[in-house]
Each structure stands twice: as structure tokens, then as C-alpha cells.
Amino acid sequence: MATIRKKHRAPVSVFQRDPGPWSRLLIDWLATLAVIMIFGLVMLFSASYTTGYLRMGDSFHYIKQQALCMMIGLACMFLMSYMDHRFLRKMVVPGYIIVLAMLAVTLTMAPLNGCRRWIRFGGLTLQSSEVAKFEMILFSSHLAAKAPQVERLDPERRILLTPGEWLRVRVWKQLVVPVLPLIPVVILLAMEPHMSGIVLTVAVVGTILLLSGSGGVLTWAGAITAGALLETLLSHVDSIPYLQKRLDGWTQDLSKMTDQTVQSLYAIGSGGLKGLGLGNSVEKQLWLPESTNDFIFSVVCEELGFIGAVLIIVLFVLFIVQGLLIAYKAENLYCTMVGIGIMAQIAWQVFCNIAVVTNTLPNTGISLPFFSSGGTSLILLLAEMGVMVNIGRNGERVAQQREQMRAQREAARAEREAELARKTIDLASARAARTEQ
């Protein structure tokens, strides 16, 4: 009777002593991140010193908070860069339960501007939706990597899947199961309400499923349909008054726009090609709401002009492309999906923030990564950057191991061929030697 041998998994530690070597790509990616962070601090100080002085009595109020959170975030980034990704994968279910509990606790907090989005304790605040985005990246990547791949079911069979197999694999395993954990998170975010958090979380999870191939053509068809019907769906949302007001203000009629959008467009138009100069923004003098947060890109456009705005966009595009290359070279599919999810979060936030300040999308509270003030967001983003570093170093280690194994196989094959050549009788030489005899 045949026995089934159980596969023994190597023990998983919390931290890795040496995740792997540093690749040139990873170093370049970190250099781009450093430039973006320094650029972000400079622009935040420029956008906030007036607001800080008039509202807090301290011109350095916002920049001091941001610098402190950046230091905490860099410490988290260092720790996460040594945290074993296998441990993170093992903790996705407990982490998901904790996130649901945090979102539920958030609903019990006192509302601010009609919304409950922060957990307050000991004078500190924590935005639970930021933690939820990070957790959903890890959980969705785990489920997408765990789902069976069609080409691995039976590589020798060259026929289409039967209807039953298609439903079980493409629909249930690859699509329904990864989406199910998203539903409670979306419901809790809607109860806060936090529509921008819902949009970003759904967009990131959808990107992971699209690029992992989960659901096949169904996922792509759903994404295209959602994009085509976005404006129609938004026009029928009337259950939340403030959301409907912002949707009504999403127009090309300047007299009907929200005040935030109008002042944002004034700032962008005032900047022109070269801008008014660093620190010379007029709109940040309490004309532009949320100039230190959601609309900081408008201040950038006013002070640095079109050239400065394009420079920021180019930096983010370079950063995202480098991050996707790191994810592509990761150790396994799970790490690749986590890397794609983290970069997708950055990409979607940058796109939505710039689209909002330019009136391309309805006004919603989405921050510009590494530029907007916000402690929870910055700390969580830098923690995610630490995960990217761990993924990059482990991927480089595995790549070097594969290269060494390939070189060893090539050397062994060359040695076998040389040995065979030594043992092979040259027929012409043998005949010549026999003639001489």
C-alpha cells in the first residue's frame, strides 16, 4: 500500500538575519524614494507654515509632526525590511481579524465632520482604513497566489476546461474566494462613511486580481464594465448628503463647483509654466482648504509651475516602474503580488489625488503619498516600503542561487562532454596510426 509523504515546511521565523544581497535596482528604487520624501518635506513646509502659524501659533507645527512620523516610519521600514515575508503570509488571517475589530471600534468614536474614521487613544489618532489597505494587500495576495492556476492543473492536456472545472477554478477559487474578505471591510468603511477608502481598497484588490490572472476574462470584463459605468453609478449615489454635494460640484461650470475645486484650479492656473517660486503661493494663505493634505499638489503647481508638477509625476512613475520590476523578480508569486499591490496603492493614490485637484474626478479625500501631512498614512507607507525591501533582497538572493545552480549545471555538462571526448576514439587518427604500424 502506497504511503503519502507529508511535505515538511521549514520553520518560519519572525525576522531574517540576512534577507539577501542588495541589487542595483533596489538601491536605485530607494534613491528615488529618498528624493520623493525630501521633495515632499520641502513642499509640505512651504504649504503649511502659514497655516501652522495662523491656526496653531507655530509655523513649524505640521512639518515637525511630519518629520516625527517620518522617523517612526523609517524605523518601521527598517524592521519590516527584516521581517520574513513567510511570517507575514502566515499572519494574514489573524491580521484580518484585527483589522475588522479596528474598523468596528472606529465606528464607536466621536464623529468629526460627520465621519468616524479615527481611533483616538491617549491624545493620539490612528486611521484604521490605512491599516486595512495594507492588510488587504497581504490577504488578497495570499489568496490569489494560493488559488490553483489553470495551466498547472494538467499541463499535458490541451483541451478547454469543462464547465464544472471552469466554475470551480476560474469563478470560485480565483475570483469569489479572494473577493469575499473585501466585503466586510467595504461595509465597515461605508458605515464610517469613507468613500475614498473604499475606492482605493477596491482598486488595489482589483489590480492584484487582474495582474495575477485570477478569474481570467471575467475579471477583465468586470473592470472594464466598472470603468465604463463609473460616472453613471456615481450619478445615482444620493444616500450620503456630503457625497452627493461633491458629485453635484463635479462640473465644468465654475459657478457650481465646490469651493475646494475652484481654489485648486485658481492655484494651478496661477502657477503657469515656471510657477511663482517656492514659498510664494497665494492660495495657501487660507484660501485653499486642506492645502497641507489633499490639495498640496495645487500648491506645488502654483509655486513650481507646470515644470515642477511634471517633475513630481515623473518621479512617481519612475518609482512605481522600479517597484514593479522588483516585484517581478520576487522569490515567488505571493511576493510578486504583494509588491504589485503596494505599488498599485501608490499609483492609485497619486492618480486619484492629481485627478481630484484638476477636477478630473469628483472631490474626495485622497492624500498624495509622501507629500500630504498625515501620520498614520506616512508610517504605514514606509512600513510597506520595508516589505518591498525585504521582497527585493530575497528575490536577489534566489536569483543568485538560481544563477549559481545554472553555472554548476553548465560546468558539470562541460566536464561530462570533455570526459566523453577523451574517451571517444578519433576514427581518422586510429586509421593513420594503424597504417604507420
Side-chain angles (χ1 to χ4, degrees), residues 34 36 39 107 142 148 175 242 253 261 266 269 281 355 415 424 427:
I36 291 175
F39 202 163
L107 298 177
H142 165 69
L175 195 56
Y242 88 93
D253 187 348
T261 303
Y266 283 162
S281 169
E415 185 178 350
T424 301
L427 186 59

Side-chain angles (χ1 to χ4, degrees), residues 84-107:
D84 196 334
H85 60 82
R86 293 170 295 181
F87 174 76
L88 288 178
R89 188 173 188 180
K90 188 176 181 181
M91 296 300 294
V92 290
V93 175
Y96 178 72
I97 296 173
I98 292 173
V99 162
L100 292 182
M102 290 176 61
L103 291 173
V105 170
T106 304
L107 298 177

Side-chain angles (χ1 to χ4, degrees), residues 362-379:
N363 189 355
T364 184
I366 296 179
S367 60
L368 185 64
F370 307 112
F371 279 74
S372 300
S373 63
T376 305
S377 175
L378 182 60
I379 293 172

Side-chain angles (χ1 to χ4, degrees), residues 230-268:
L230 178 61
E231 185 172 356
T232 303
L233 292 173
L234 289 176
S235 64
H236 288 82
V237 176
D238 56 2
S239 59
I240 303 175
Y242 88 93
L243 180 60
Q244 186 61 40
K245 181 180 178 181
R246 292 185 177 184
L247 291 175
D248 292 339
W250 184 35
T251 174
Q252 299 303 316
D253 187 348
L254 195 64
S255 63
K256 296 181 180 179
M257 288 183 186
T258 61
D259 183 60
Q260 290 175 316
T261 303
V262 170
Q263 298 300 330
S264 175
L265 294 179
Y266 283 162
I268 294 172

Side-chain angles (χ1 to χ4, degrees), residues 243-384:
L243 180 60
Q244 186 61 40
K245 181 180 178 181
R246 292 185 177 184
L247 291 175
D248 292 339
W250 184 35
T251 174
Q252 299 303 316
D253 187 348
L254 195 64
S255 63
K256 296 181 180 179
M257 288 183 186
T258 61
D259 183 60
Q260 290 175 316
T261 303
V262 170
Q263 298 300 330
S264 175
L265 294 179
Y266 283 162
I268 294 172
S270 300
L273 179 63
K274 297 181 180 179
L276 303 179
L278 186 63
N280 295 329
S281 169
V282 176
E283 287 294 329
K284 71 183 180 184
Q285 313 290 339
L286 301 186
W287 291 97
L288 178 64
E290 300 295 336
S291 61
T292 64
N293 198 336
D294 301 340
F295 285 86
I296 192 172
F297 188 74
S298 302
V299 178
V300 173
C301 293
E302 187 178 10
E303 295 187 349
L304 304 183
F306 178 77
I307 295 175
V310 170
L311 177 59
I312 289 179
I313 294 173
V314 169
L315 280 173
F316 273 114
V317 169
L318 177 62
F319 178 69
I320 291 166
V321 170
Q322 289 173 331
L324 291 175
L325 290 175
I326 292 172
Y328 174 75
K329 297 179 180 181
E331 180 178 357
N332 50 46
L333 181 59
Y334 170 71
C335 292
T336 296
M337 290 299 103
V338 171
I340 288 175
I342 292 173
M343 288 299 102
Q345 179 184 344
I346 302 291
W348 280 111
Q349 284 194 221
V350 171
F351 168 76
C352 291
N353 180 272
I354 296 176
V356 166
V357 302
T358 56
N359 199 37
T360 306
L361 287 178
N363 189 355
T364 184
I366 296 179
S367 60
L368 185 64
F370 307 112
F371 279 74
S372 300
S373 63
T376 305
S377 175
L378 182 60
I379 293 172
L380 265 294
L381 280 174
L382 288 174
E384 292 176 12

Side-chain angles (χ1 to χ4, degrees), residues 394-406:
N394 275 282
E396 182 66 15
R397 171 181 54 80
V398 172
Q400 290 188 4
Q401 290 176 350
R402 290 171 180 168
E403 183 62 25
Q404 291 175 358
M405 293 177 62
R406 187 192 66 80

Side-chain angles (χ1 to χ4, degrees), residues 37-38 40-42 44-45 48 59-76 370-376 378-379 382:
M37 290 171 61
I38 294 172
L41 283 177
V42 172
L44 178 61
F45 177 63
S48 67
S59 298
F60 298 92
H61 173 77
Y62 290 99
I63 194 64
K64 286 192 295 187
Q65 283 190 343
Q66 191 81 345
L68 175 61
C69 291
M70 185 171 287
M71 293 298 103
I72 297 173
L74 288 173
C76 294
F370 307 112
F371 279 74
S372 300
S373 63
T376 305
L378 182 60
I379 293 172
L382 288 174

